[in-house]
Amino acid sequence: MMKAHNAVFGIPLLMVLLAGPADRSSAPVSYAEVQRVLDAKCTRCHVGPDAAEGLRLDSWESVISGSRHGEAVIAFDADNSLMFELVTKLVGGPHPTELESEALTEDEAELLREWIDEGAPGDSGQIPFAEADQLLYAVDQGEAKVSVIDMETNMVIRTVDLQALGFPAFALPHHVAVEPDGSYWYVSLIAGNAVLKFDRENRLVGRIDVEWPGLLALDPTSDRLYVARSMASVNPPHRIGIIRRTDMTMEEMDVFIPRPHALAVARDGRSVFTASLSVNDIAVVNPEQETVEMTTLAGDRPHVVINFAVSPDGRWMVGTTELTSQLFVFDLDRLPDLTPVDAIDVKTAPWHPVFTPDGRWVYVGNNWDNSVTVVDMETREVAAVIEGNGIAQPHGSAVSPDGRYAYIASRNLKMPEGHTKSAHVYKPRYDLGDNAHIGTVIVIDTSTRTIVRIIEIEDYGSGLGTATRRQ
Ligand code: HEC
């Protein structure tokens, strides 16, 4: 009797467990089913030129093109898609019940989830943004994720979840580097003690163990990817890593300074620059000859150099200093001497600097000031200081290849006690119960120097990297 019972009920039960609770059936959801739900419960307010928040929900194309603020759906990631989050967990009642409209039933919400997790395909199976080729990778350090942003629409189009790949929630991804042709990208995991390699389709294709990795710098003239050490470690190796990108093997090279953090490569690939977080020393590494030359920055106080950026023509390098709040300018024609030729006062604790493609401007977020400084490299003067909602402990920076947009990632953690701007944190547009401290990537229009969009990402925005071409 028991045996018969198991034979009949045991096997289907096992199949249900394997399939997981989110699976209604094995057949993929068709977009027509999704549209029927949207037509019944949503399009009343989300159609035409007056659609709420500019979000039209009357066709696949309009759903995918999002609202005036950004994406409604991130393909393959229902949990982080605003459209799914709002209708399931908006605090005060699932949307649109706060507007006294009927909520989705559990089955309808589940249908939406499945459709998004299957890639949010259209009627003919097309996957949104499969052909996007202007990509910005934004690291979500607090959640072991990387958000992929399309720079043409400035929307999040994919999420790479490192936990789903077996890494711990506290892996602390930090910085990202991208092949010039966009074919692969790399991310450092501070606490995961590794550098990972992903392909264009965000498949993990390689990894190398690295102790306390932090910033990355890719040499476009060779197969080398350099890695320095995270600020999170007070006594990491006094060495930088030299990774061979094709096979992800690594050698380490002594740079003779404690806590090597800042990192950049000269355009000709012949020099690599790193600076110490605890002493005022900058090391110039010649990777071919395996030599290191040292420059000591003047000053009795520690500067704490955070990061470097090299100008597109290769002539200049800038470096930010956390404790003296300056942007140093270095003339690379004078190598190996790296005595600054200029020092520009910016706001408190400038973080990652970035040049515009024409070399004229440098953008840098001031971490403890919630502002972004724009420096004119011709006059060597501050051209603008940008403040505004969305800038909350700015960290990583990037510029679109056409120079149209500058991007600054924000951590949005609480400021240290007693800090003048401690109350200034970014408040997400919707209270979803668990998103009070989400990170942002602000989009600055470089022609007007105004914030044109606040892209909400996951927790703690840190490093940014861009991919410009498709292979
Ligand atoms: C009664 C009108 C109404 C209905 C019905 C409605 N919405 Fe909305 N929707 C709004 C308004 C108004 C907002 C702006 C935020 C707010 O006031 O809550 C909004 C905001 C949104 C947003 C966020 C857009 C953004 O980027 O800020 C999404 C996503 C959304 N709605 C999806 C839906 C879905 C899916 C449905 C159907 C289940 C739906 N809405 C039904 C009126 C409506």
Side-chain angles (χ1 to χ4, degrees):
M1 196 57 190
M2 279 309 285
K3 261 186 187 164
H5 187 91
N6 277 340
V8 174
F9 297 102
I11 291 165
L13 178 67
L14 183 69
M15 281 167 62
V16 168
L17 287 175
L18 284 175
D23 237 25
R24 277 178 326 142
S25 67
S26 52
V29 176
S30 78
Y31 182 69
E33 291 175 78
V34 173
Q35 191 60 62
R36 265 199 296 278
V37 172
L38 300 180
D39 286 342
K41 301 247 172 105
C42 318
T43 44
R44 186 157 69 80
C45 306
H46 288 286
V47 75
D50 298 327
E53 303 300 313
L55 176 67
R56 292 180 298 117
L57 298 176
D58 55 329
S59 68
W60 181 79
E61 285 78 9
S62 54
V63 171
I64 295 310
S65 59
S67 76
R68 75 181 68 154
H69 310 284
E71 76 289 340
V73 164
I74 304 172
F76 304 104
D77 186 9
D79 280 338
N80 292 303
S81 291
L82 190 56
M83 180 153 142
F84 181 74
E85 292 185 288
L86 275 191
V87 301
T88 52
K89 58 177 193 180
L90 181 67
V91 170
H95 182 66
T97 55
E98 84 284 13
L99 303 169
E100 263 123 52
S101 276
E102 207 187 332
L104 295 188
T105 64
E106 244 173 70
D107 281 353
E108 288 167 335
E110 208 44 55
L111 181 89
L112 209 55
R113 173 202 280 282
E114 267 184 59
W115 169 67
I116 297 172
D117 282 343
E118 283 162 6
D123 279 327
S124 50
Q126 69 274 36
I127 300 293
F129 296 101
E131 300 301 318
D133 64 359
Q134 303 285 308
L135 304 182
L136 174 69
Y137 296 90
V139 176
D140 307 300
Q141 184 165 323
E143 276 191 48
K145 287 179 182 153
V146 177
S147 299
V148 186
I149 293 164
D150 169 49
M151 288 187 282
E152 285 180 65
T153 57
N154 287 323
M155 299 201 294
V156 179
I157 59 167
R158 297 286 185 273
T159 320
V160 181
D161 183 352
L162 300 174
Q163 266 185 274
L165 295 170
F167 295 95
F170 47 86
L172 303 183
H174 186 65
H175 201 222
V176 65
V178 190
E179 291 288 346
D181 67 1
S183 54
Y184 296 98
W185 56 277
Y186 309 85
V187 62
S188 54
L189 307 186
I190 298 173
N193 287 303
V195 172
L196 311 181
K197 176 178 182 178
F198 287 86
D199 69 9
R200 183 80 191 193
E201 271 66 51
N202 304 322
R203 290 176 295 227
L204 179 63
V205 294
R207 66 166 287 170
I208 175 82
D209 292 339
V210 185
E211 206 178 323
W212 295 109
L215 294 169
L216 300 171
L218 186 144
D219 175 9
T221 70
S222 77
D223 191 21
R224 297 192 186 107
L225 172 70
Y226 298 95
V227 51
R229 308 294 173 171
S230 167
M231 195 177 266
S233 170
V234 289
N235 192 20
H238 297 191
R239 298 186 298 273
I240 58 168
I242 306 176
I243 297 171
R244 210 158 70 184
R245 308 198 297 269
T246 41
D247 62 5
M248 291 301 278
T249 55
M250 184 178 74
E251 285 173 32
E252 293 194 13
M253 192 171 154
D254 214 318
V255 289
F256 308 106
I257 52 173
R259 305 185 73 197
H261 183 264
L263 192 65
V265 192
R267 297 278 162 200
D268 62 8
R270 289 201 205 125
S271 310
V272 182
F273 313 100
T274 184
S276 169
L277 288 176
S278 33
V279 295
N280 284 341
D281 287 339
I282 305 179
V284 182
V285 178
N286 182 319
E288 288 297 340
Q289 288 162 12
E290 300 191 11
T291 55
V292 181
E293 308 265 356
M294 216 66 81
T295 298
T296 301
L297 295 168
D300 325 324
R301 297 200 286 150
H303 290 287
V304 186
V305 177
I306 296 295
N307 205 13
F308 296 128
V310 176
S311 65
D313 66 3
R315 170 77 191 270
W316 308 102
M317 181 165 82
V318 293
T320 49
T321 66
E322 179 182 15
L323 295 191
T324 50
S325 298
Q326 290 183 309
L327 187 80
F328 282 135
V329 181
F330 306 95
D331 182 350
L332 299 184
D333 274 359
R334 295 170 47 167
L335 282 176
D337 178 21
L338 269 189
T339 308
V341 293
D342 234 321
I344 300 152
D345 287 327
V346 292
K347 300 285 183 181
T348 316
W351 228 249
H352 297 181
V354 63
F355 277 87
T356 52
D358 58 7
R360 173 80 191 267
W361 314 98
V362 168
Y363 281 75
V364 61
N366 303 299
N367 192 356
W368 296 352
D369 189 63
N370 291 342
S371 63
V372 175
T373 298
V374 187
V375 171
D376 183 344
M377 289 301 289
E378 240 163 57
T379 61
R380 302 267 174 81
E381 279 169 2
V382 171
V385 177
I386 301 165
E387 293 190 326
N389 193 26
I391 309 179
Q393 290 185 298
H395 194 117
S397 62
V399 174
S400 61
D402 58 9
R404 186 164 168 212
Y405 299 119
Y407 299 91
I408 304 282
S410 272
R411 297 195 272 200
N412 199 23
L413 299 177
K414 281 205 171 91
M415 286 279 190
E417 273 316 309
H419 199 277
T420 48
K421 296 200 176 176
S422 57
H424 191 141
V425 289
Y426 174 72
K427 192 168 165 286
R429 285 191 291 121
Y430 298 100
D431 183 359
L432 304 171
D434 60 0
N435 63 338
H437 284 284
I438 56 160
T440 63
V441 175
I442 55 151
V443 185
I444 298 169
D445 182 328
T446 54
S447 64
T448 57
R449 296 192 188 128
T450 53
I451 301 172
V452 291
R453 178 165 287 180
I454 303 166
I455 303 173
E456 295 187 346
I457 54 170
E458 303 305 314
D459 277 7
Y460 192 143
S462 55
L464 293 179
T466 57
T468 57
R469 268 180 288 143
R470 202 178 169 81
Q471 214 182 14

